[in-house]
Amino acid sequence: MMSPLDFFGAITPDCSIHPGAGSGVYEEISDEKLKTLRLDKSPVEGSILNEIGENGLISYADYCFLLSLLSTPIRFVDTAFNLFDLTSDEKISAKEFAYVSTKMSHKLGGFGTYTDVDQSAILASNSGLLNYLFGKERSKCLSREEFRILHNDLLDEIIQLEFIEYDKEKTGSISEGDFCHFLLNKTKIPPSQKAKMLKKVDQIWPKKARGISFPSFKNFFLVLASGTELERGLFFLDVENIGVDLEEFRKVASWVSHNELSPHTAEVVFVLLDDAGEGRIHKESVGPVLFDWRQPRGFDKSSIHVQLGQLKI
């Protein structure tokens, strides 16, 4: 099991707020000790991670659920709810949650097959998430609106924590360079090419430039978290394979995030990705940064997938 901030560290490459200890490194804690254990708390005001932590630790099944919820684009949240609402009564019971959770998590490495034993074990576990959602007696249910709020609050907190990683002085904005470092972190682009891309940005926007505000950072995080949506949108917009211009890119990003992407943020991303300086970006340059951003966070494996014939969403 893990603490709520362990969860954040597990899905955040090079996390400095709560760095992980590494694979196989853990400490055994008894139920008696757990009651007095002081866990590291999230610095976010009204933190949902702290609320979960007050109810217990996060199990592996909880981890798989939270990661799946985070990696599901906003417009598919209701679809995710329907997957858990097995009886179609517009609410998720603890038993339904346990059934689907085991389908997702049972198997070494995750996402395997279901067994009755695992479902019973999940219901009986001292899971902080289960206690938070369904109470210790497992008598509460989760409505569709509560499910949406859970997704929104969790996503909002993860975005705030990521922003805090770069906004050390809590000014409410980060430099364009730091924003681009965030975009390029853990990409498979060679270091020399990364340095060249960042140099272009630093030349146009020095450290004391306008900066990227938290609302702008949040809007673009939503674009990144919906990477498949962005890829599909750009593909249909660029069927001629001639690339897209700044306004076209901004339009697609706004569709994906369900929020208006600021012109400044779009321009910073465009400068970073426009290798040839021709005023257009191509799928080949966008892919290694924006489309693949989800991979090191585990979002690709964990997201809800919908398939209709040969079309996979």
Side-chain angles (χ1 to χ4, degrees):
M1 302 185 85
M2 58 172 58
S3 72
L5 276 189
D6 285 334
F7 170 75
F8 172 70
I11 64 171
T12 306
D14 300 329
C15 172
S16 63
I17 293 178
H18 190 79
S23 177
V25 180
Y26 63 91
E27 178 184 357
E28 291 189 6
I29 299 173
S30 64
D31 289 339
E32 292 73 23
K33 187 178 179 181
L34 182 60
K35 296 174 184 177
T36 59
L37 185 67
R38 297 187 65 180
L39 301 174
D40 290 339
K41 289 188 176 291
S42 166
V44 175
E45 187 176 349
S47 162
I48 187 172
L49 290 179
N50 288 344
E51 289 187 44
I52 292 172
E54 289 170 4
N55 285 275
L57 296 174
I58 292 175
S59 69
Y60 179 63
D62 297 341
Y63 170 83
C64 291
F65 166 75
L66 291 173
L67 184 55
S68 294
L69 189 61
L70 271 177
S71 57
T72 299
I74 294 173
R75 74 187 186 106
F76 292 130
V77 170
D78 278 351
T79 303
F81 176 87
N82 292 337
L83 291 175
F84 282 88
D85 181 19
L86 300 176
T87 57
S88 301
D89 61 354
E90 289 297 306
K91 57 181 182 288
I92 301 170
S93 67
K95 189 173 182 180
E96 288 174 315
F97 183 89
Y99 177 87
V100 180
S101 294
T102 39
K103 290 280 283 185
M104 293 163 55
S105 62
H106 179 67
K107 183 182 178 181
L108 203 58
F111 303 91
T113 55
Y114 165 78
T115 68
D116 290 317
V117 175
D118 291 314
Q119 182 186 352
S120 302
I122 285 181
L123 287 170
S125 69
N126 189 26
S127 153
L129 181 64
L130 278 177
N131 291 340
Y132 172 73
L133 294 177
F134 305 105
K136 292 188 176 181
E137 302 299 322
R138 309 292 186 252
S139 57
K140 296 180 181 178
C141 289
L142 189 66
S143 69
R144 185 180 294 274
E145 184 58 30
E146 288 170 334
F147 191 86
R148 290 170 181 158
I149 292 172
L150 175 66
H151 174 267
N152 181 75
D153 289 351
L154 180 65
L155 185 58
D156 193 64
E157 178 162 0
I158 295 300
I159 295 171
Q160 288 188 62
L161 288 171
E162 286 256 25
F163 188 77
I164 290 171
E165 291 263 346
Y166 296 92
D167 184 22
K168 302 294 186 183
E169 298 178 4
K170 299 181 180 180
T171 62
S173 69
I174 60 177
S175 71
E176 287 81 359
D178 282 342
F179 177 63
C180 292
H181 274 286
F182 160 74
L183 295 178
L184 295 175
N185 191 17
K186 294 302 180 184
T187 60
K188 297 176 183 178
I189 298 172
S192 58
Q193 187 179 344
K194 279 187 186 180
K196 183 180 177 181
M197 295 167 73
L198 290 169
K199 185 178 180 180
K200 284 194 306 177
V201 173
D202 288 338
Q203 286 175 339
I204 299 175
W205 296 286
K207 292 295 182 183
K208 297 291 184 180
R210 174 179 171 179
I212 303 293
S213 67
F214 174 71
S216 295
F217 179 89
K218 178 179 178 179
N219 284 352
F220 204 75
F221 190 104
L222 295 175
V223 175
L224 295 169
S226 304
T228 306
E229 297 273 273
L230 177 66
E231 184 175 2
R232 188 166 52 251
L234 288 176
F235 171 78
F236 284 113
L237 197 64
D238 185 27
V239 291
E240 301 93 348
N241 202 30
I242 60 173
V244 295
D245 62 25
L246 176 58
E247 193 52 40
E248 288 171 330
F249 173 75
R250 182 168 171 254
K251 186 184 297 183
V252 173
S254 297
W255 291 343
V256 170
S257 68
H258 295 254
N259 290 282
E260 191 73 19
L261 185 65
S262 78
H264 180 59
T265 304
E267 185 182 2
V268 172
V269 175
F270 213 83
V271 167
L272 181 72
L273 300 178
D274 184 11
D275 294 333
E278 61 184 6
R280 303 186 77 83
I281 55 175
H282 302 266
K283 292 188 284 286
E284 292 76 16
S285 60
V286 174
V289 180
L290 305 188
F291 299 164
D292 295 346
W293 178 89
R294 295 162 59 89
Q295 279 187 334
R297 290 165 169 77
F299 281 18
D300 274 348
K301 183 177 181 180
S302 312
S303 61
I304 299 295
H305 295 287
V306 179
Q307 188 160 336
L308 180 64
Q310 298 301 313
L311 178 64
K312 188 175 182 180
I313 300 173

